[in-house]
Structures are given as structure tokens and as C-alpha cells.
Amino acid sequence: MRAKTWILVTSMLAPSACKDEPVPSADGSSTGTTAGSDTSDTSDTGTASLDDTGTSTGGEDIDQFPGLSGPVEILIDERGIPHIYGQADLDVMYASGYQMATDRLFQMDLVRRRALGRQAEVLGPDFVGQDEISRIFDLPRWGAANVDRLRAEDPDTYQLIVAWLAGVNARIEQVLAGEVPLPYGFGPGEADYLPEPWTLQEHSAIAKLMMLGNSNSLERELLATIVQRNLPAAWASIELSRPAFSVPTMPPDELPAPAPWRPGVQHAAKPPIPASPTEIVSALDALHRAMQHIPRVGSNNWAVNGQLTATGRPLIANDPHQPLQSPSLMYAQHLSSVDAGGQIDVIGWAFAGTAGVQLGHNQDLHWAATTNFADVMDIWEVELSGDQVAVGDQMVTMEIRSEVIEVAGEDPQVLEVRDVPGFGVLLPDDIVPLPIAAPGNALLLNWTGFAATAEEQTFVAMAKAATLDEYDAAADTMEVGGFNFVAATADGITYRVNVHVPDRGDPSARPMPFLVVDGNDPESLWSGQFLPPEQMPRSRAESRGWIATANNDPWGFTFDGDVSNDPWYYGYFFASGFRAQRIDEELTRLANLGGISLEDMQALQTDTHSTASDLLLPILEQAWSNLGVDPELAPYEGRPELQTLYSLLTDTWDQRMERDSPGALVFHLYLMMLTDEVVRDELSFLYNIVLEAESPFVVKIPILAMLDQYPDSAALLGASRDVVALETLSRVASLLEAFYGDVDPSGYTWGDMHGTDFTNPLGGDLYGGWWPSDGGEDTVNVSSSAFLDENGNVAERFDSHDGGIFRVVTTFAEDGTPQAYCNFPPGNSADPGSPHFDDTREAWLEDQYTFLPFERDEVEAVTEQTIVLEP
């Protein structure tokens, strides 16, 4: 039975007529109204154009929205997802902007402020550091450059964004006029300010911010430099790039041939960084806090060809891993103009504050993305001389700009930023107060995003692609976003990466660019050339029949711990391979069985099998078998608490990180205490901050040491492997006794200590709460968490803040139409009073998938509310 529909009519041109009063429903009864509806006067049907701030103007040029060409229907389904139907592409985009602003305006404004470096203005001094980072990267400037390029190269896409912004600003105009309620967050007792109209340049600054989060390596390069210089023994023994599992993204038969042996160039060791451990840790902690609005997280996606599936048509899956906030960073929506002859019919998810759909499907094709981790950012130490900078063999005059950061409740702060035209920006000492550079020198940062780039064109072209070839062509327009793009139609699958990775030449002949390098060396500078297409990962997976990415090394260059001996340099800081291993082994198993189903893909996407336990439990079993044989193990004999935990891990536990599992909690404690046992001394004063910032990256180190994968694993362990294995178990017993008074598995579960915390920068009613959740550091359904508290002690609760921001698995109907099944937390509305504020959280927690309606009759069957925007 079709749900009751509310008929709500909004006049685009007469917002002053909108009233918050009851309106008649379809069955004639009186119902509540949606803010922004006009129920009293719809006689004004004239047309006007709106510029990019929503102001009425005349004219028909591409800088102005010409007004709606006809009515636009917005059907809100049972999960709060708007399905927008219009007579033209521009109409649909206008309505999309209007409806997103209706559902998410306060959140959108905070995102905008993140990009512009204006958060502290409304949220206070805790956000000054984040604002400084945005100002250093000059996101508004590069957003404006994107706009100029977009207008010149792709006026059609430019007009779509103009229309979207007109819709956003029409809603803002209603809010400012008092015709609709002030959204939660803006009011007194909350952030207490009013929204401002948006511009094209600001929208593109948000796009730049998203691309920066996708390609940022600033923290990792500085941290690696500190480890190399201050802890040379640890640097030599750990081989930071080596993954736990050597699983490349590219199919084995498509990997490049190994490079011929070449003697590497020896580079003089840099002196240790002349600062105390306390100073270094304090500086790194400040930088980490300042970079929190630019998260660098991972994702999973994969696609299976039709010859391996039960239907004979492909399956594709995607679960992007992003900060799990309340409201969600992503907004689900459906935009359609095709019934009236338009070109848009796409459903999926957009980052709140951005136009269109970045991930989802159209009538023919579903596409998915993960972060590729190609290295597109370098740092050089350069010499300063007055207002000039020595870059290679050139002297470049710096350009100084003063950035004034307004701070709520305090005096403004002025940030002086020194740009080096053509080469990047100098990192200010108060942002990176680390004496990495010698006195009188500075650190110069360059990023391929310091240019006019085409990401907005890319996503619009993907949304319109009908074939794999068209999709590949769209992916090839991406320049700064390092994405593993995977797509499928009913006919096949494709994997495509296109990103401007600087061609740094022969890796064996130069200092490695994942460390701070010498700016006096002209050979270390970017030549302006990028890796050619044949050195980009891309495949149709014809022989294997499936492709999967999980932020792992696409080429396998890091598998030997050395990236200086490869055919070309692509990147260094890839994921540890835990998720890639499980996906690879499961897809291989399922492919061998044949008949892969939608349910198989959903089970894999929510899989919580611990791949780390596959490696560590056999080692524990070997150590246990040597009790009574090896005198060195005598301290662990005859201890019932160890017997209880050993039996739980090796006999009872199913190796799944489920929240109702006591074994999952014990194994997590085991993994983390093993990390502490093996790595703490090696990383010394950096241990706590590295573990907080890079937990999934760090926990691979003790595993590889226990597997004797390092040149001197024995020295790294500091004791026999059996002793380390059993001493770790003993430390876990002590922890459980401290927490619960006993090791009895009936007294605890993983969910007692581990859960997802849905935070919000403002807090208040937007806080989404803490919920026990499945997954761990090493599972496909990833849920990494902080193990230590701010004092460096084991935390009382392991809070996860990142994970699958949505999960979607898509098959194809007989006519080739994608059919998607999904879940996402916490809800599609940012209004704490809305029934759709947190109504999708439970399905996400319980791994329950629901069909994502796409065809008009499917949408109407689950419609709860209808809004009509009239010209």
C-alpha cells in the first residue's frame, strides 16, 4: 500500500508567501507542513533568473540560473531520501540544492567554513588550528581557479552548479527572511549565527577540501622524517612500507615486470631533529589536531564479472570509510530529468555541501571509489634569504599574505603565509613547530592540488556515463583526487585510476620523496611531468573476473619494504593489507565455487573475520605447545587464567570481531598489547601519538616481527617469539582482571568496550551517541579505535570514529538497470526533531540492507511526503 502523501507547493519566486501552517494531505485531512511550503498563493508563476548568490537578475547567460522551466516534484521516501523529478537538468539541480539546504543547511555551512578557514569564527578557539591549515592550503583561491577553468572548458557542468547554488541560496533567503524556521545549530544557545549566501568559488573550495583529504600525506611524511632521523635503529628494522599481507590490487597477470637491479645512490644521513621528545610530541599532537578536518581514511570496493555470478550479470560493492559523524558527512539523493528529455537520472550519495552525486548509479552503470594513496605531495627543506627562497638552482621571491582568522569570544588571530609561486607554500613555524629544517631554513610543501583541476567535471561525467568506455573516459579527467574507481554495467566491470602523480624519475637515483628532501637538489624538484597512463592502475579483469581495492598497494612495490628498487615511484603509505587479504581470499573462494550472489557480497561487506588472528593464533598455539618443554616459558606454566584465555582464543572464538563476542575483546587486547610489547621501545617517545594517529598501520609491525619478516626481527622482539606470545597473553589477563575482576568470558564482550561514537563539532542535540558496534582494526567491516587515553593509559572504552559511511551492493536487472541494496548511518536529515535524523542507524548496526528505489513506481511505493516546487 502506498504511504500517505503530503502535497506541498513551494513558489521559487515568492518565498515571502510561504507560511508554516497546516496543509491538506492527499486524503483531505489536515496535516503539518514542511518549512518552506506555500499553501496560500501559487498565482505568481512568472520567471526570473538567479545569480550564484540567489539574487534575482535578468539575462540568460551561463552565470545565472534562468528559473524553473516547470514544476519539480520532490518525493521523500521512508528513509528520508529525496527523489527529485524535473523537466530539465537545471531544474533538478536547483531543487537538489534547495532540498539539501532544507535537510542539512547548518552542516553544509560548517563544511563550507572548514574549506574557507572560518570555523573558529562560530565554534571558538579550538578550531583555529584547522582554520590555519585551510588558509595555508589557500582552498578558496584554488576553488576560484577551478571555477574559472570549469566555466571555460565545461559550461554545461558549470551551469548545473550555478543552478544548484541558486537552490541553496533560495532556501537561505527563506531562512533569513524568517519564512521558515531557523535550522538547528544556528539558534541561540547553539552556534548562534545566521547563514550567508553561497558562491561558486566557495562550492569549489569545498571540492578542493575533499580532494585534499583524499591525497594528503603531510603528517605521515613529517612523522616518517622524525622517525628516520631520531630513531634510526627503528627506521632500519621496521621497514615502514611493508604490509602485513602482500596483496596487490592489480590482477597478478597484469603486474609490471620487476625493475632490473640498479645500485642505489647513497645519500648522507641527516642529523637528528634538535628538540626534546616532549617538544616533538607536543608539536606532532598540535599538527594532528589541526589536520582533523582533513581525514585520510580508507574504503573497500570490488566488482565481479557476470561469468562468476548467479544471475550472469556483474555485482559491485562499495563501503567508503569516512568519519562517522552525526549528521552523516554524506547525503543520499536521487536526481532525475530523463522522463522529460533531460540527461540526469542518478541516485546515490554526495558529500553534504557539494552538488550532484559523487558515488552511486544511473540507468546503466554503478560506480564506486576508494582512496588510492598515490603520492602527490612532497616537502623540501629550503634556504631563505630575505624575501627569497632557494629552490634548486633558482632564487624565487616569496609572496606574503596575511590571513585574519576571526575567533568567537576572542580577538582575531593573524596568520602570515609565505607562498613560493610555482613551487608551493612554506609551512609556518607555529603550524609545524618542529626544527626539522636547519636554522634559517624552512619547509616547502607542494601538492598537485595547487592548480585549477577538474574534479567537478569528473563526477558529473561519471553520473552520465552509460558504458564502461564512457566511464573510463570520465575517470581519466580526474587530476588531483587519488581514487580507485571501480564501475560496472550489465556487460562488464572496469577499474580505473587517473591522478597526477609527479614523475620523479628513477627511484634508485634520488632521495625518497616520502621524507623531507633537500630543496637545494634540482633533481628532487618536480619536472612538471606526471606518470603516463601505462603507469596508472587500470584493468577490466578479463582473466580473473573480479577486481577489488582496499587502499592496498596497487602494484606491490612496497611488499619488500623498499620502494627505491621499483620501475617507478608511485607511493609509500598504503594500507596494511588486512582488508585486502580477506576480500581477496573470499572472492577467490567464491569465484571457484561460481554462482556468486547478492547475499554473498553483503556478507563479505559486513565480514568481521580477523585476518590478524589468522597470523597470530598459530604462533600462540606453537608457544603454548612448548610449555613444559622450554624452561624459558616456566613463568607461564600452571596458570589457570592463561589457560582460560588460550582456550577461548584457540577453541571457542570464531575469529569474528562481533560486539557480543568475548573472544573478540580478548583478541583485540592481545593484538594491542603485542603492539605495546614489541613496538613501544622501538618508537620510544613517539609510540603513543603514532598509535593514536595510525593504529591499523602500526599493528602490522609486531605481526611482521613475529613472522620474522624483518631483517632483524629477533632484535625487534627483544625475546624469543614464544616468550613474547605468552607474555602478551599474561598482560591481557592482567588487563581483564583490572577491568572486570576476572578473566571469565561470561563477564565481558567486545561491545562492552568497543563502539562507534557519532560526534559533531557543535555537539548538543546533534550528538548521535555511542553504540556498541562490530569490526576491528583488521576486518573488512573496519572499525578501528583509539586504544590509549590522553594520558597514554589503556582507555576505559575503545571509541571508533571512522567506518563505512554507507554500504551498497548492486546487481543488474534483466534490462540492465542497476538494482542497489544499501544501509547508512545515522539518518538523512540533520534536524534532531526529524524522524529521519537517526532512523537508519539500527539497520547499519545490524547489517540489514534495504533496496534503494530507483524506478518511479518503486519510489512512489515508499513515498511518505511530496513537495512541489513551482516556477
Side-chain angles (χ1 to χ4, degrees), residues 717-779:
L717 294 179
S720 75
R721 189 173 77 168
D722 287 354
V723 167
V724 173
L726 295 179
E727 177 60 24
T728 299
L729 193 65
S730 178
R731 294 182 67 181
V732 171
S734 297
L735 274 178
L736 288 169
E737 288 166 350
F739 286 139
Y740 299 103
D742 200 305
V743 300
D744 184 352
S746 66
Y748 50 80
T749 66
W750 179 221
D752 291 339
M753 294 190 70
H754 171 269
T756 299
D757 196 29
F758 291 98
T759 59
N760 180 275
L762 179 67
D765 291 345
L766 290 176
Y767 175 59
W770 185 90
W771 302 87
S773 53
D774 301 330
E777 319 297 307
D778 61 327
T779 57

Side-chain angles (χ1 to χ4, degrees), residues 123-146:
L123 296 178
D126 289 346
F127 291 84
V128 169
Q130 294 185 17
D131 285 350
E132 289 178 331
I133 292 293
S134 294
R135 302 293 183 98
I136 290 168
F137 279 91
D138 211 359
L139 299 177
R141 170 193 174 188
W142 297 114
N146 275 22

Side-chain angles (χ1 to χ4, degrees), residues 505-561:
D506 181 354
S508 69
R510 58 154 293 157
M512 285 292 94
F514 54 83
L515 300 166
V516 173
V517 293
D518 185 0
N520 287 323
D521 178 7
E523 297 299 318
S524 73
L525 302 178
W526 292 352
S527 66
Q529 300 299 310
F530 303 109
L531 294 181
E534 59 269 21
Q535 292 178 350
M536 289 286 110
R538 46 193 59 185
S539 175
R540 293 285 176 94
E542 287 91 350
S543 59
R544 188 171 64 177
W546 58 266
I547 197 78
T549 85
N551 317 115
N552 47 320
D553 182 346
W555 302 114
F557 291 163
T558 60
F559 293 173
D560 63 352

Side-chain angles (χ1 to χ4, degrees), residues 261-280:
W261 183 86
R262 295 159 294 181
V265 176
Q266 298 299 313
H267 300 280
K270 292 285 187 177
I273 292 166
S276 70
T278 300
E279 291 172 324
I280 292 175

Side-chain angles (χ1 to χ4, degrees), residues 170-184:
R171 183 65 181 184
I172 291 173
E173 185 179 345
Q174 290 179 335
V175 170
L176 295 177
E179 294 153 2
V180 298
L182 190 66
Y184 182 90

Side-chain angles (χ1 to χ4, degrees), residues 461-807:
M462 286 178 172
K464 294 181 178 180
T467 67
L468 297 180
D469 288 342
E470 290 176 359
Y471 179 80
D472 285 348
D476 285 349
T477 65
M478 180 58 71
E479 295 171 341
V480 68
F483 292 101
N484 293 303
F485 285 124
V486 171
T489 67
D491 299 321
I493 64 175
T494 189
Y495 166 48
R496 201 79 170 178
V497 175
N498 199 77
V499 58
H500 282 175
V501 180
D503 187 343
R504 299 170 173 96
D506 181 354
S508 69
R510 58 154 293 157
M512 285 292 94
F514 54 83
L515 300 166
V516 173
V517 293
D518 185 0
N520 287 323
D521 178 7
E523 297 299 318
S524 73
L525 302 178
W526 292 352
S527 66
Q529 300 299 310
F530 303 109
L531 294 181
E534 59 269 21
Q535 292 178 350
M536 289 286 110
R538 46 193 59 185
S539 175
R540 293 285 176 94
E542 287 91 350
S543 59
R544 188 171 64 177
W546 58 266
I547 197 78
T549 85
N551 317 115
N552 47 320
D553 182 346
W555 302 114
F557 291 163
T558 60
F559 293 173
D560 63 352
D562 184 1
V563 295
S564 70
N565 59 358
D566 299 303
W568 60 89
Y569 175 77
Y570 189 80
Y572 186 82
F573 298 105
F574 297 99
S576 300
F578 295 116
R579 290 176 286 116
Q581 169 68 15
R582 180 62 174 175
I583 295 169
D584 185 280
E585 66 184 12
E586 281 297 284
L587 288 178
T588 299
R589 179 183 68 83
L590 292 168
N592 289 335
L593 293 173
I596 300 175
S597 68
L598 182 77
E599 292 74 20
D600 290 331
M601 296 297 90
Q602 292 171 351
L604 179 54
Q605 198 168 62
T606 57
D607 185 85
T608 59
H609 179 88
S610 166
T611 50
S613 71
D614 290 335
L615 300 176
L616 291 178
L617 292 186
I619 294 174
L620 178 61
E621 290 175 329
Q622 180 63 46
W624 192 264
S625 71
N626 287 329
L627 285 172
V629 177
D630 184 351
E632 197 176 25
L633 304 181
Y636 310 106
E637 294 177 12
R639 294 176 56 178
E641 77 279 18
L642 299 190
Q643 176 68 64
T644 296
L645 296 182
Y646 174 76
S647 298
L648 173 62
L649 288 176
T650 60
D651 295 334
T652 307
W653 183 43
D654 61 2
Q655 296 183 256
R656 295 174 60 81
M657 300 298 292
E658 296 286 322
R659 58 187 183 274
D660 61 356
S661 168
L665 175 59
V666 172
F667 182 75
H668 182 75
L669 295 177
Y670 188 87
L671 177 62
M672 302 311 295
M673 294 313 294
L674 178 67
T675 303
D676 186 88
E677 186 77 17
V678 176
V679 179
R680 179 181 286 276
D681 288 346
E682 294 297 320
L683 290 182
S684 184
F685 60 91
L686 295 175
Y687 176 73
N688 289 358
I689 192 166
V690 172
L691 190 65
E692 177 189 0
E694 301 284 359
S695 177
F697 197 77
V698 174
V699 296
K700 71 179 181 182
I701 297 172
I703 294 173
L704 288 168
M706 295 289 272
L707 293 171
D708 196 22
Q709 294 295 302
Y710 291 127
D712 197 358
S713 294
L716 192 60
L717 294 179
S720 75
R721 189 173 77 168
D722 287 354
V723 167
V724 173
L726 295 179
E727 177 60 24
T728 299
L729 193 65
S730 178
R731 294 182 67 181
V732 171
S734 297
L735 274 178
L736 288 169
E737 288 166 350
F739 286 139
Y740 299 103
D742 200 305
V743 300
D744 184 352
S746 66
Y748 50 80
T749 66
W750 179 221
D752 291 339
M753 294 190 70
H754 171 269
T756 299
D757 196 29
F758 291 98
T759 59
N760 180 275
L762 179 67
D765 291 345
L766 290 176
Y767 175 59
W770 185 90
W771 302 87
S773 53
D774 301 330
E777 319 297 307
D778 61 327
T779 57
V780 174
N781 182 6
V782 69
S783 186
S784 61
S785 54
F787 185 68
L788 303 177
D789 63 20
E790 58 186 12
N791 297 315
N793 301 315
V794 177
E796 295 182 359
R797 195 178 74 183
F798 306 139
D799 291 352
S800 175
H801 297 285
D802 306 307
I805 202 164
F806 67 79
R807 305 186 191 104

